Amino acid sequence: MIGKEGAGAGDEGNGGANAVSRDEPVVRGTSGAGNVIRRLFQQRTRLWQQTLPEDITGPQFTVLGVLYLHGAMDQRTLGHYASLDKSTAAPIVERLRTRGLLTVERDTADARRKVLALTPTGRETVVRLAPCAAQVEDLLLGDLSPAEREQFFHLAYRILGVHDTT
């Protein structure tokens, strides 16, 4: 956290009596949860870029991984499994389709639905990159014991309001 240097700056007239109560929200806003989450995200992004041997983003890998693990599905179901809203998922799906990693076809039973599936190249890509993605997690959480990792995920999912992480 940011130290208290400068706490009460601008409070010279009242002897700093209100400095702590007035500055506390500033300290929390600059070094609280949001700042820590941002720094974790930056560290993960840096590790991801350094570790993965090709240009694929974390969300793109997640989409490929969900399709690998669960098979072909409609875009709404994919968004649920990958925790992506429609406006985020659509451009990711399009980039992966353009790269030949997945197919997008109309559902024969319901033409309004788009069914997504991995191509053979997409399947090979996710299998080849999975150890690298796992290595990023190990690098990011490497200083935590198994119990601390479990607690980290438990707390993070609780903050997100997710009770079933399967």
Side-chain angles (χ1 to χ4, degrees), residues 85-159:
D85 59 51
K86 186 176 181 178
S87 64
T88 303
I92 292 170
V93 165
E94 182 55 27
R95 281 188 212 100
L96 294 172
R97 186 197 62 77
T98 300
R99 292 176 66 179
L101 301 176
L102 60 80
T103 60
V104 180
E105 297 180 4
R106 294 277 177 203
D107 186 341
T108 55
D110 182 352
R112 295 171 297 178
R113 288 181 56 210
K114 294 179 182 178
V115 177
L116 314 172
L118 287 178
T119 64
T121 302
R123 182 170 292 283
E124 182 273 327
T125 298
V126 74
V127 168
R128 183 171 38 81
L129 295 180
C132 299
Q135 183 182 4
V136 170
E137 182 169 316
D138 289 341
L139 291 168
L140 187 63
L141 302 178
D143 289 340
L144 301 181
S145 70
E148 289 169 328
R149 286 183 187 206
E150 186 176 324
Q151 183 179 24
F152 170 83
F153 284 111
H154 172 77
L155 293 171
Y157 282 123
R158 191 165 121 202
I159 290 168

Side-chain angles (χ1 to χ4, degrees), residues 70-96:
H70 299 283
M73 65 184 65
D74 64 78
Q75 195 162 332
R76 182 175 172 205
T77 303
L78 173 73
H80 170 76
Y81 279 126
S83 299
L84 298 170
D85 59 51
K86 186 176 181 178
S87 64
T88 303
I92 292 170
V93 165
E94 182 55 27
R95 281 188 212 100
L96 294 172

